[in-house]
Amino acid sequence: MAKTKAHTTHPGFHYHIDPEATSHDLMNEATEWLQYARSLTRLLADFIHEADTVDCQRVAHAMEAIGALTHMGVQCTAQAHARMCWETGVNR
């Protein structure tokens, strides 16, 4: 059985922003990450509202996933901003 990268690296969320991506590409990617986070938040809220009991560990994992998705959206936005500033020569 072949090992996947997830089994050979440290646990947690690892994602690297493409250094060749344009600021426009990064803004699109940020929007996508944040939409994933929003959708997962809505799904989790629906499950909690409908549940008779709540599994705190699963809710905590879901919230960590939301945090990771949001973090990637913020990172892509920050990179896009930095690249836009660099492209326009705003280095102040």
Side-chain angles (χ1 to χ4, degrees), residues 16-79:
H16 299 284
I17 294 174
D18 180 6
E20 300 297 320
T22 66
S23 54
H24 181 75
D25 293 336
L26 289 169
M27 289 304 291
N28 285 338
E29 196 167 334
T31 301
E32 198 171 329
W33 285 115
L34 294 172
Q35 286 175 341
Y36 289 144
R38 181 176 146 218
S39 295
L40 184 54
T41 301
R42 293 174 82 184
L43 179 66
L44 181 60
D46 288 344
F47 283 151
I48 290 172
H49 285 299
E50 294 174 7
D52 294 329
T53 61
V54 175
D55 183 339
C56 292
Q57 187 173 8
R58 286 186 178 176
V59 170
H61 285 304
M63 292 176 71
E64 289 172 1
I66 293 166
L69 294 168
T70 304
H71 177 75
M72 283 311 305
V74 169
Q75 290 300 311
C76 287
T77 302
Q79 280 290 324

Side-chain angles (χ1 to χ4, degrees), residues 77-88:
T77 302
Q79 280 290 324
H81 183 258
R83 290 177 192 194
M84 285 187 291
C85 289
W86 181 260
E87 290 165 2
T88 59

